[in-house]
Amino acid sequence: MPPRASKASSLSANGRNVQKSAPNRSGKTVRRKRSFLWSLYKFVFVTGCLSVILFAGWFYLTPSGNVYRYMLADSLITTQHREWAKYIIGENALRDRVASYMKQFEEMGEERDTHTIPTEAEDDSAAEEQAPEELIAVEEVDGEGYRGYLLTVRDPKKVRLVVPHKTGRGEKVSSMVKRTGAVAGVNAGGFADPNWRGNGFKPIGLVISQGQIYYNGLGSAKSVQIVGIDKNGKMLAGKYTIDELMELGISEAVSFSPRIIVNGKGLIPNRSQGWGVAPRTVMGQREDGALLFLIIDGRQPGYSIGATLYDAQEILLEHGAVIAANLDGGSSTVLVQEGGEIVNKPSSSSGERYLPTAFLVFEHPETVEVPNIWAGLKPSEIDAGKW
């Protein structure tokens, strides 16, 4: 009886077993997988291209897209990468945008402020009618895309402008607070910052402390936008000459802009004209004399992107501000409490910055000595980048 062939074999003509080929299932599976992946790739690619085209059309060709496009450009203008904004709105538009803001800021400082605060006699009578309050209060604030803090200083005469303790470099606000025994402090004026790596020692414009001009970088300019307080604790902000400031009894001040609230009304009409989204430091005053320092964190996705000046304006109006002005923001924005504890989250990748000025709060400001570290120095002699 001839031998049986197995299921996987058969007899050849000469009686030999010949192995049959089984179906190549693995090959078909690989081909199917490749076909599926190629279809998926084409789908993703086509969908991505369509999405980019649709987004570009909305971003560049629609009114709502233009609002976000210019807001993004404005946000870049406030950073060390200002030139990147030209890829969003064009080089000519960037130049025109910056010039327009500078002109707008100048105009926002023109109207004369007429707000008043209670006199010392009125303060004393009010104090007899109510229990004494803490000198400062800190509360959290938040909104669309931003988080921050509001520092309220109930007695404006407790604030002093403090400067670094040695020549040649700025000082961290936390160091100033700890060194002087202050109750709290925030960053104040701007400074020359070559390549965004400056030493924080060359202020912009004026620096006035205890009624004395510590630094004058105005050159031939006859007037400048300032933010500060007079000897009675009234906040001054806007465009002034040095003679006008002295006649008004200025006590503490730095140069910065824009003023965003005057005589109880906001000067920025809407969010799209709020100079982009960024970390902010803003100073204001209520009708009862209390000073308000608004600190907004930014440039930290997942925590706080930042706020526009319009956002800051609306927060301060809600808290009763009758005057308010912008201070140096961005990477300089910082709020420090007693002992040098940093309350907010500064956006600088290298940590807290070295600065030329800070507004500090003291229980006994009359005991604070602030030496003039710029005495005898000309602005032209100061190397802003040398450490």
Side-chain angles (χ1 to χ4, degrees):
M1 185 175 178
R4 278 180 158 184
S6 67
K7 291 180 181 179
S9 63
S10 61
L11 289 175
S12 63
N14 58 9
R16 294 180 181 177
N17 283 334
V18 177
Q19 193 74 24
K20 283 187 176 180
S21 297
N24 190 353
R25 294 179 181 176
S26 61
K28 290 182 180 179
T29 302
V30 169
R31 284 193 295 273
R32 280 197 295 268
K33 284 183 178 179
R34 287 177 178 172
S35 177
F36 171 76
L37 290 174
W38 177 244
S39 298
L40 180 62
Y41 170 77
K42 287 192 294 184
F43 173 78
V44 171
F45 178 77
V46 171
T47 303
C49 288
L50 288 174
S51 299
V52 169
I53 292 170
L54 291 173
F55 175 81
W58 169 79
F59 195 58
Y60 287 96
L61 301 177
T62 67
S64 61
N66 281 332
V67 169
Y68 281 96
R69 185 160 63 94
Y70 277 93
M71 185 174 291
L72 177 58
D74 289 345
S75 300
L76 287 172
I77 289 171
T78 66
T79 73
Q80 66 190 80
H81 305 298
R82 172 179 290 193
E83 70 280 1
W84 290 4
K86 68 182 180 183
Y87 299 113
I88 299 173
I89 59 176
E91 192 165 354
N92 291 335
L94 170 59
R95 186 165 52 249
D96 293 343
R97 191 81 168 170
V98 173
S100 175
Y101 270 119
M102 294 303 102
K103 181 181 179 182
Q104 179 187 355
F105 291 172
E106 284 295 303
E107 293 171 350
M108 289 165 67
E110 294 287 353
E111 181 181 337
R112 278 295 172 255
D113 165 52
T114 60
H115 91 280
T116 60
I117 61 173
T119 63
E120 192 168 342
E122 292 171 331
D123 284 343
D124 292 341
S125 62
E128 293 175 1
E129 297 175 1
Q130 59 185 18
E133 295 179 299
E134 294 290 330
L135 175 58
I136 68 168
V138 177
E139 62 180 284
E140 294 186 15
V141 295
D142 59 69
E144 185 181 346
Y146 65 82
R147 296 177 63 181
Y149 299 87
L150 182 68
L151 167 68
T152 301
V153 184
R154 293 192 171 90
D155 185 348
K157 289 183 287 187
K158 299 291 188 179
V159 173
R160 289 287 177 271
L161 187 79
V162 175
V163 303
H165 66 292
K166 63 181 180 180
T167 302
R169 66 183 293 181
E171 185 178 2
K172 295 179 179 180
V173 177
S174 59
S175 172
M176 293 185 193
V177 169
K178 191 173 182 179
R179 172 173 60 82
T180 61
V183 177
V186 303
N187 62 294
F191 57 99
D193 193 10
N195 300 318
W196 295 79
R197 296 177 182 175
N199 56 29
F201 185 67
K202 188 174 183 177
I204 294 173
L206 290 176
V207 174
I208 300 175
S209 182
Q210 300 168 95
Q212 303 297 315
I213 297 177
Y214 277 31
Y215 182 88
N216 184 348
L218 298 186
S220 60
K222 295 181 179 180
S223 62
V224 66
Q225 299 238 31
I226 64 97
V227 184
I229 55 176
D230 69 12
K231 293 176 181 178
N232 295 316
K234 176 184 173 180
M235 179 176 168
L236 296 177
K239 195 172 182 180
Y240 295 94
T241 66
I242 292 178
D243 288 342
E244 286 174 331
L245 291 172
M246 294 303 154
E247 289 175 7
L248 290 168
I250 192 70
S251 177
E252 325 290 322
V254 294
S255 296
F256 217 79
S257 66
R259 182 177 61 182
I260 60 175
I261 298 174
V262 64
N263 299 320
K265 67 176 184 293
L267 300 179
I268 303 176
N270 53 60
R271 199 166 188 258
S272 66
Q273 296 182 44
W275 202 21
V277 174
R280 303 288 181 190
T281 301
V282 183
M283 177 178 171
Q285 187 170 44
R286 297 191 315 221
E287 201 168 21
D288 64 359
L291 290 176
L292 306 171
F293 292 97
L294 178 63
I295 302 295
I296 299 293
D297 285 322
R299 299 172 186 164
Q300 299 172 71
Y303 166 64
S304 180
I305 301 300
T308 67
L309 287 177
Y310 177 78
D311 295 326
Q313 169 185 285
E314 296 306 288
I315 292 171
L316 290 172
L317 285 172
E318 289 172 7
H319 285 80
V322 293
I323 187 171
N326 189 37
L327 291 170
D328 190 21
S331 300
S332 299
T333 290
V334 66
L335 169 61
V336 180
Q337 285 189 311
E338 191 171 7
E341 177 190 357
I342 299 175
V343 178
N344 70 312
K345 295 182 179 180
S347 64
S348 175
S349 59
S350 57
E352 191 185 357
R353 302 185 83 189
Y354 290 83
L355 307 174
T357 53
F359 284 115
L360 270 53
V361 186
F362 297 92
E363 290 283 0
H364 302 285
E366 67 279 359
T367 65
V368 181
E369 293 186 8
V370 183
N372 184 1
I373 56 172
W374 296 289
L377 291 176
K378 297 179 180 179
S380 60
E381 297 173 345
I382 300 175
D383 187 342
K386 184 178 179 181
W387 286 81

